[in-house]
Amino acid sequence: MTNDTDAAQPALEIVEFTDPLCPWAWGSEPVFRRLRAALTGDTRVRWRRAYCILFDHDDDPAPDPAAETAWYARYVEDISAHTHAPRALRLSRVAASSWPASLVAKAAEAQGEQVADRVLRRLRETVFVLGEPADTPESALAAVSGVPGLDVHRLATDAASAGVLESVRADRAEARSPVEDVLSLRADGSPHPGAAKETPDGQLRYALPTLLLRTATGHRAVPGWRPYEAYVSAVVELSPALLPAPTALAPADALARYRTLTEPERTALTDGGAWPPAGAVRVDTGNGPLWLHPEEAAAHPAVAPAPSSSP
């Protein structure tokens, strides 16, 4: 699987419309990790993320922040009942903005796919494990300090650059031009069917998450909360030769690869061997544990204070 910096035109492009602080996107991580792994190494596929800015700068402030936080915590709890994804034992506040985390996630892409994946994962965990959303430049950079292979000084410079800002602005605009397929979707048994959402300024944007799969001859949109098989069907319909080949890893190998695993990810990504692997660190949440590789635990803010991000 190639990334968005590759020059060759892929046979299949997968655009993941997402936000680092979206609870449905967090709950979809087991399926997306499985699909990405099944397509990894196939140079005919390009997967890129478009950051949609769920919490925007111009959103009206809540008249009662404490009441809003309590409401949003219940909302996340309801979603986690469907996805079985971890949720924070206590949410400190509703995120003020998605821009800082999105800029950091986008900037990390310049340091390679694996680093970018791990940076985005840390940003998601700030709100859904720690209950402290990374909604300022300082907190976003502090959250990802210690990610293996990450040059945090370069990241800080890139995240503050005009180029990265323009890239995220383009993502936001792209998310607000949804394909017709998602404009009106009927309830189909999914708790989150994924119909396009109206924004406060009257535009429409993709519901999060949505995968848009495109080839030279057509596209398929797979919005909302979906099983793995729905994404595989979309791939095969567009490109029959690209049948994803899922691989199940031994527990220790999966934890070494992904660094942190939820219980749904353990089920989706491992071969069912003995769990937990030696040295794995358990972090309890409001909806099951998050498991950390011991090297990850040494720098993860859920276990150890994050190193300073200042140059």
Side-chain angles (χ1 to χ4, degrees):
M1 183 172 61
T2 64
N3 61 36
D4 61 342
T5 62
D6 292 302
Q9 181 66 31
L12 175 66
E13 180 187 44
I14 301 175
V15 185
E16 177 188 347
F17 292 96
T18 192
D19 186 287
L21 309 180
C22 172
W24 284 110
W26 166 242
S28 296
E29 283 279 272
V31 169
F32 288 176
R33 276 183 160 185
R34 185 181 180 191
L35 185 63
R36 285 173 67 87
L39 295 170
T40 291
D42 195 323
T43 58
R44 298 169 295 175
V45 180
R46 179 176 68 177
W47 185 307
R48 67 179 175 88
R49 294 187 176 105
Y51 293 102
C52 304
I53 310 299
L54 182 60
F55 301 98
D56 216 337
H57 288 322
D58 55 3
D59 291 347
D60 292 333
D64 185 341
E68 183 193 39
T69 299
W71 174 86
Y72 193 71
R74 291 192 298 271
Y75 174 70
V76 171
E77 183 176 356
D78 289 344
I79 292 172
S80 71
H82 293 292
T83 66
H84 304 293
R87 57 177 174 80
L89 289 165
R90 178 185 175 276
L91 181 65
S92 68
R93 65 188 181 281
V94 178
S97 173
S98 292
W99 281 98
S102 297
L103 291 167
V104 166
K106 180 64 71 174
E109 293 175 1
Q111 299 190 41
E113 183 176 330
Q114 186 177 77
V115 168
D117 286 351
R118 290 176 174 175
V119 163
L120 176 58
R121 178 64 173 219
R122 281 276 192 96
L123 294 167
R124 295 197 195 283
E125 290 169 352
T126 63
V127 61
F128 301 113
V129 176
L130 302 176
E132 296 285 345
D135 57 0
T136 67
E138 296 78 14
S139 62
L141 290 170
V144 303
S145 295
V147 165
L150 175 68
D151 182 337
V152 73
H153 301 287
R154 177 188 175 188
L155 182 70
T157 299
D158 290 349
S161 70
V164 168
L165 175 60
E166 184 57 35
S167 184
V168 176
R169 283 176 173 167
D171 286 352
R172 181 185 180 279
E174 184 180 5
R176 283 154 179 77
S177 299
V179 296
E180 187 175 351
D181 315 40
V182 302
L183 297 186
S184 57
L185 295 173
R186 297 178 179 176
D188 59 1
S190 170
H192 180 37
K197 303 288 187 180
E198 185 173 356
T199 62
D201 59 0
Q203 297 185 69
L204 292 173
R205 66 158 174 81
Y206 285 105
L208 306 183
T210 290
L211 290 194
L212 180 64
L213 298 88
R214 296 192 291 217
T215 67
T217 58
H219 73 268
R220 296 289 186 277
V222 189
W225 170 249
R226 303 291 168 180
Y228 177 76
E229 292 73 20
Y231 301 101
V232 172
S233 294
V235 171
V236 173
E237 286 173 14
L238 283 173
S239 300
L242 293 177
L243 178 65
T247 56
L249 299 174
D253 293 338
L255 196 58
R257 174 173 179 171
Y258 293 108
R259 310 295 289 189
T260 73
L261 289 172
T262 65
E263 283 295 296
E265 288 169 336
R266 178 174 74 88
T267 300
L269 302 171
T270 75
D271 61 10
W275 190 270
V281 176
R282 175 180 177 133
V283 174
D284 288 313
T285 76
N287 192 35
L290 178 74
W291 295 96
L292 277 62
H293 187 276
E295 293 177 2
E296 180 73 10
H300 197 286
V303 179
S308 171
S309 61
S310 59

